[in-house]
Amino acid sequence: MRIGVFVCHCGTNIGGMVDSHQVAEAAKQFPHVVYATDYLYTCSEPGQLQIQTAIKEQSLDGVVVAACSPRMHENTFRRTIERAGLNRYMFDMANIREHCSWIGEDKEANTRKATELVRMAVAKVANHAHLHSSLFDVNKRVLVLGGGVAGMQAALDCADGGLDVILVEKKTSVGGRMAQLDKTFPTVDCSICILGPKMVDVAQHDKIKLYTYAEIDEIKGYVGNYTAKIRKKAPYVDWTKCTGCGLCMEKCPSKQSFDYHNEGIAVTTAINIPFPQAIPKKAKIDPAYCRQFTKGKCGVCAKVCPVKAINYEMEDEIVTEEVGAIIVATGYGLLDIGELGEYGAGRYPDVITGIQYERMLNASGPTQGHVQRPSDGEEPKRVVFISCAGSRDASLGRPYCSNFCCMYIAKQAILTKDHVPGVEVYVFYIDIRSPGKGYEEFTRRAQEEYGVQYIRGRVSRVFPQGKRMMVKGVDTLLGAQMEIEADLVVLGTAATAAPGAQELAEKLRISYDGYGFYMESHPKLRPVETNTSGVFLAGACQGPKDIPASVGQGSAAASKVLALFSKDQLASDPQIALVNERRCIGCFKCQDTCPFGAIEERELRDGQKVAHVIETVCQGCGLCTSTCPPGAIQLQQCTDNQIIAEVEALCQAWKQRS
Amino acid sequence: MPGMEAKELRVVGFLCNWCSYGGADTAGVSRFKQPTDLRIIRVPCSGRVDPLFVVKAFMEGADGVLVSGCHPRDCHYAEGNFYARRRLEVLKRFLPFMGIDPGRFAYTWVSASEGARWQHVVTDFTAQVHALGSRRTFGEGGAGNAGTR
Amino acid sequence: MKAKRYAYYPGCSQHGTAAEYEVSARAVADKLGITLVEVEDWSCCGSTPAHTVDHVLYGALAARNLALAEQMKLDTMVTPCPSCLIALKSARVMAQDKEHLQELRELIDLPLKGTIEVKSLLQVIFEDIGLEALTAKVKQPLTGLTFAPYYGCILTRPPQLAQFDDAENPVSMDKIIAAVGANAPDFPFKTECCGAAFGLAKRQIVQTLSAKVLAAAEAIAADAIVVACPLCHQNLDLRQEQVNAFRGARSRMPVWYITQVVGLALGFSPHEMGLDKHAVASDAILAKWETHLKEHAQ
């Protein structure tokens, strides 16, 4: 075999701590190596040309690049050698940057390490085989999970691009968090006025199939061919008949049901349509409050419904949808403010969350937009906002910034001034984070034009003082403790991962970070992809995000799906397991082990049963390879022989070292 | 740092591509300094690691072998690391029978975001192996079939 | 049932200013089936300005007591004083570090493992005894009385160290008070600082802070404040006259230890509980209780 070795300097990133030239010189002595050189930036255009030229001039049939992590540039170089006519899998990388030059402080030891890493990579490539992808059909339908603004944007973009879209929303109406908001920053646009038309578009688009009040039970399959089991929860109302007239809500006798849309600052009826602009505008019964369910008798709604849509016997329904890609846009949750004992939230009615206040400011909210103290309904004369309530606090396990609170607090402060003449507004903040277009100007307006008092410091305690709430904190700019008597305290509550986010991640086989937010494939360069091919992210499920960022990600995820579906067939990754039928003894331990069900039984002509790998299902984990007793099933590109070759090459180096 | 003061020892690591290899990359990107003894072999999943690879490495003269995968329940392949855990736990108990101090072997879980954790794992494991010293000094043979006297 | 044995670290206050805390603590423990075995030859816990000067020496002062308790072969050491608690717990955390452990061993010249559990007496009553067992032993419920449960600043803080109750809104004393039949309304100042040891150096700090605690207790119409800390007691009870002068008030707010509250309910007399040893007399509240009990009996 004729292998070429290319050692990168990566400017001084590698060159500063590893003698790349010496590594290349040493590589010339390794078995199979016929050519070795070093270059300042191997990934640059001249660097790649150098590889291509060498392949032709030196008749190379294998290439090793010693540079950065293969997780960074493996595909770059595979394409390089493919352009020069080599099979793209006759390639390997030695990671001498992340695993060597950046972490070792001794240049001599680093150089020795780099040389050994190259030697191992050479040994592996010497055992490489030509691999070829096969093509498989793509089901050009896309499943979007979450009908908030990010999911709706993704669904609409995909549908406009000609794809069939399945949109699944947990609640009975699409709209998500944005449908709860009164206004949006920094333009102070009416939130539902700009969202409403989008909701209608989603419902009326002939390419979008909408399942609301539904959740995912199970996801199986792989990119291009996923199968999703969707649980349509029973609303106890036949939605094919329900006209959304609302008569049932007028007559329902159980008027103390928890109002989720209004975040609990109001009550609703057990049968309800969450808000007037709901899409679809269909009623649902909350069995936790419905008398028919709790007491066994009532039936008022069934009597009054003009179209006889009520059905107390309704059960959940499971539907199966076949799709080729999935966009996850499941949004975020909010911290249970009961955790913040020092603010007394949950104990004192006049300490509320930002989203509750948002509902209060909303003209179609429970107070018709009048700002009132929940305790006595009086108009507050002084409102205090506390930002970072639960965020940026390592002691609570949430050191991250919740991203949008600074801005919505500025907005709510301005709206408070608009709604209540003469009101005083104070904001306690750690830092004002306003790094968006028009955002800084907006927070300045709140302070300068509207006279909102910003106090830099944290609040240590909120407690009742007579009828009012005493807010005790510190002004770190004055270096003084402060006590402010307030009528209403609003917390900029921390954004958290959506409830159930981790269970969904496990169904989708995508990873999540320590806080439960989904992990993107690369934080800078692959922000909407996941490490599971065919699954994309949009919006705050990946981390707290404001509306423009969520919409942008929705469109980005849609464009990724459209690009994926631009071909009728996809090439499979040939780095999968392969059965040597002559060695297979038919024990099928591999079949038991395989997490993906990629192994099937195949009968040979002599009647013997052997294992067979379904190419498109195999994910290339190699569990079967280390399970197989006779070593008959081998993960291509990572065979037993290849790993042992790497170990042996290292051993050869060790021997020479001493 | 052990690798700096004493002679470098022979340490091999088998790392899963998705979590631990990424974690080692993260440590690199964050410039978290580590001893230079370790040589990393990339495998798709810790479940791909046949315990015999570890034995082979010891036979070839390794002073220490480290296996690292995704945290339990966070395996890229759903359950590969559970297989790894079972196999490697058994292997660990057999090492003394082969004349190898079990302290020379470790398996651990490091996610792609845990650069600092990876630094600790490498530093601690290398120090642990250095405390046990080079296997050759005990006449167990560095080259060839060590441990099968 | 065999009495559970605890190594008992009283701390200096228990033998001086807080003698009534000591008496009531021992009596209550006895009644609840706990044997407190005083650590022999115990010394200062280190809860002095020492920790601002030298962390290791500070740790060593407490570690000596940990080592002595470990020799008693008991698994838990209990102390009534939160300052002692924090000092002992800090030393225990310090001893988890190998290097520090060695330093501590050399300084105190005793074998130290750092394994013994350290708990406050409040935690033992709340968790080890439990509210149910406590309620079962109540002889004369404190009905009709309202207490302001005042935990002070360090009983639950820092949470990583204290490992007990909610750091910002603790409820253990509230529940104990309720278990003995009295009222414990939401007391917003339950974890504020009383001024602690500043009583000597900067009296005005104590006056400012303790004044707020007293005012807050009056605001919720408490008959008495309940504490679990000798230093809090000193500032709120002994210095109440000073604080009154400072804030221009004529408050006569009794300050009881939680053990005294429990003890009364378990059947001890006010005298046995040392309620006559406080600077602020408890006559009014005791009379109120008696009236209530009489009404109740009728």
PDB file of all heavy atoms in Angstrom, chain B residues 36 76 84 101 144:
ATOM      1  N   THR B  36       1.079  14.264  28.921  1.00  0.00           N
ATOM      2  CA  THR B  36       1.202  13.896  27.504  1.00  0.00           C
ATOM      3  C   THR B  36       1.261  12.383  27.283  1.00  0.00           C
ATOM      4  O   THR B  36       1.449  11.944  26.163  1.00  0.00           O
ATOM      5  CB  THR B  36       2.476  14.522  26.908  1.00  0.00           C
ATOM      6  OG1 THR B  36       3.577  14.178  27.757  1.00  0.00           O
ATOM      7  CG2 THR B  36       2.364  16.024  26.820  1.00  0.00           C
ATOM      8  N   HIS B  76     -25.176   7.800  22.460  1.00  0.00           N
ATOM      9  CA  HIS B  76     -25.620   8.162  21.122  1.00  0.00           C
ATOM     10  C   HIS B  76     -26.353   6.995  20.468  1.00  0.00           C
ATOM     11  O   HIS B  76     -27.219   7.192  19.623  1.00  0.00           O
ATOM     12  CB  HIS B  76     -24.404   8.576  20.298  1.00  0.00           C
ATOM     13  CG  HIS B  76     -24.737   8.998  18.908  1.00  0.00           C
ATOM     14  ND1 HIS B  76     -25.348  10.189  18.638  1.00  0.00           N
ATOM     15  CD2 HIS B  76     -24.585   8.380  17.722  1.00  0.00           C
ATOM     16  CE1 HIS B  76     -25.541  10.300  17.336  1.00  0.00           C
ATOM     17  NE2 HIS B  76     -25.085   9.216  16.749  1.00  0.00           N
ATOM     18  N   ALA B  84     -20.930  -1.721  27.496  1.00  0.00           N
ATOM     19  CA  ALA B  84     -19.540  -1.459  27.847  1.00  0.00           C
ATOM     20  C   ALA B  84     -19.344  -1.605  29.348  1.00  0.00           C
ATOM     21  O   ALA B  84     -18.409  -2.266  29.800  1.00  0.00           O
ATOM     22  CB  ALA B  84     -19.154  -0.052  27.397  1.00  0.00           C
ATOM     23  N   ASP B 101      -2.320  -4.996  37.805  1.00  0.00           N
ATOM     24  CA  ASP B 101      -2.962  -4.222  38.859  1.00  0.00           C
ATOM     25  C   ASP B 101      -4.217  -3.560  38.294  1.00  0.00           C
ATOM     26  O   ASP B 101      -4.133  -2.846  37.286  1.00  0.00           O
ATOM     27  CB  ASP B 101      -1.979  -3.152  39.361  1.00  0.00           C
ATOM     28  CG  ASP B 101      -2.456  -2.532  40.649  1.00  0.00           C
ATOM     29  OD1 ASP B 101      -3.650  -2.167  40.704  1.00  0.00           O
ATOM     30  OD2 ASP B 101      -1.655  -2.424  41.592  1.00  0.00           O
ATOM     31  N   GLY B 144       6.553  -7.715  23.665  1.00  0.00           N
ATOM     32  CA  GLY B 144       6.048  -9.077  23.503  1.00  0.00           C
ATOM     33  C   GLY B 144       4.934  -9.397  24.462  1.00  0.00           C
ATOM     34  O   GLY B 144       4.149  -8.543  24.828  1.00  0.00           O
TER      35      GLY B 144
END
